[in-house]
Amino acid sequence: MLKPLKNANDEIYMAKAIRLARRGLGRTSPNPAVGAVVVNDGVVVGEGYHLRAGEDHAEVAALKKAGQSAKGGVLYCNLEPCCHYGRTPPCTQRIIESGIKRVVMAMLDPNPLVSGKGRQELEAAGIETSVGLLKKEAERLNEVYIKFITTGLPFVILKMAISLDGRIVDPAASFLSGREALHWVHRLRNRVDAILVGKGTILRDNPRLTTRLQRERGRDPVRIVVDARAEVPPEASVFNPESAAETIIVIGKYAPDQRVLAIEKAGGRILRIEGNHGRIDPAKLLAELGRLEITSLLVEGGTRIATSFLRDKLVARAFFVLSPKIMGRNDLPGVIGEKGLLSPVKLKEVSYRRLGEDMLVSGYIKESAR
């Protein structure tokens, strides 16, 4: 049950913890993004956020900065502190040792290893706790983690650039979108674990599928290519040795051994997924990616890939970059293939944003199976 606020500044400090947590987005996988603030006598004496898996959790980082000033203070964090040994010791133990008298959490951790146990451990040690402040904001912040920890599956994001007449290719240009939209795409790539396209995108555009940001160093996601018959050439740019990101080629049952060997020699990792009629089953693929601890997947594929993921209701969030162009050609690929979808797809919580001359339309899929 949500306890009432103890002081008027609780929400201010929790909002600060959430802002700190955002700094770790895209770096903490498979862990959640967490920020923490330590306050004593109305003064912030320590703050921190989780940088990446294996390093100090946010609570520990904040308590280290606070030092002795943490004693008798209040700790604000957007997620329930962990109480189990993982890559690092439990945060609850460090909190108890610090002398903190009260812990304010935005939400409980859905991880079965925690899920209320962290709060119980703190209260058993005489520390007062409250849960629920800015809960919706905290849940949205860690939507990827929540999906993965509760289902074992990646949070799937679909991104497509579209002309005004519904086409996804501009034969006269390398990109359908403008410069600002392309920069936005690279910032999106910087926050996901993996990016997925079909073999058609590789054969047509030969993309690197890397993160290229102008003023900051980006992190390349794992590159995944759906290629049932292993037709991606070994000289393709996705096998670029300059990137530390792994390249996974998803093949089917009947992929020729010679092509598979050539891909492996080029540095690609082979992932064989069974499907029907030579089609890779996207649900089986997601299950396997979950086992590889890929928590977020950006689908940038073409018509066939988009149709497949939407038809099977596997997309959680969608971004459509609308270009102010009319292609005027029916022979160019569109968003959805000829077979179409089994039922209409509708976005909820829709938002609109200008990206230079383009318009970004984003939202969550109203009905998704997973």
Side-chain angles (χ1 to χ4, degrees), residues 309-330:
F309 274 82
L310 287 171
R311 183 177 56 232
D312 291 355
K313 298 182 179 180
L314 302 175
V315 178
R317 191 174 187 182
F319 292 98
F320 297 100
V321 180
L322 188 61
S323 170
K325 298 179 181 178
I326 298 175
M327 296 295 102
R329 288 176 49 179
N330 292 329

Side-chain angles (χ1 to χ4, degrees), residues 197-267:
V197 300
K199 71 172 183 183
T201 298
I202 301 298
L203 296 177
R204 182 183 65 246
D205 302 328
N206 191 27
R208 286 178 283 174
L209 300 181
T210 55
T211 300
R212 302 181 295 280
L213 298 175
Q214 297 174 351
R215 299 181 181 178
E216 57 184 295
R217 184 176 180 180
R219 180 186 59 86
D220 293 340
V222 173
R223 296 166 290 192
I224 302 173
V225 181
V226 177
D227 182 16
R229 294 192 58 80
E231 295 176 298
V232 171
E235 63 272 13
S237 294
V238 288
F239 300 119
N240 181 1
E242 295 179 0
S243 174
E246 185 177 34
T247 298
I248 298 175
I249 307 299
V250 184
I251 65 171
K253 182 177 181 180
Y254 301 108
D257 292 339
Q258 187 175 3
R259 293 178 186 168
V260 172
L261 182 60
I263 287 174
E264 290 179 326
K265 286 184 177 179

Side-chain angles (χ1 to χ4, degrees), residues 63-118:
L63 288 171
K64 281 184 177 180
K65 290 184 178 179
Q68 293 300 315
S69 298
K71 188 174 183 179
V74 182
L75 173 69
Y76 298 84
C77 49
N78 58 291
L79 188 70
E80 177 185 17
C82 68
C83 56
H84 66 289
Y85 280 89
R87 292 181 173 92
T88 59
C91 292
T92 49
Q93 179 180 323
R94 186 62 181 270
I95 294 171
I96 293 170
E97 293 172 351
S98 73
I100 285 287
K101 68 176 183 180
R102 179 169 171 249
V103 176
V104 182
M105 317 165 216
M107 61 177 287
L108 296 179
D109 190 338
N111 186 341
L113 294 175
V114 187
S115 193
K117 300 182 185 69

Side-chain angles (χ1 to χ4, degrees), residues 125-197:
I127 298 175
E128 183 183 357
T129 70
S130 62
V131 179
L133 181 62
L134 299 186
K135 181 181 178 182
K136 290 184 179 180
E137 291 85 345
E139 289 176 337
R140 179 53 51 82
L141 171 73
N142 272 311
E143 60 189 5
V144 169
Y145 169 75
I146 293 171
K147 172 68 177 290
F148 178 73
I149 206 67
T150 57
T151 68
L153 300 171
F155 185 92
V156 178
I157 304 167
L158 174 67
K159 190 281 299 180
M160 301 192 80
I162 312 172
S163 69
L164 291 177
D165 54 346
R167 303 301 164 183
I168 61 173
V169 174
D170 182 354
S174 300
F175 302 104
L176 185 62
S177 306
R179 182 179 60 185
E180 290 85 352
L182 291 174
H183 182 63
W184 171 84
V185 168
H186 285 279
R187 292 203 305 272
L188 180 59
R189 289 181 180 181
N190 191 41
R191 287 192 170 185
V192 298
D193 289 348
I195 179 173
L196 180 145
V197 300

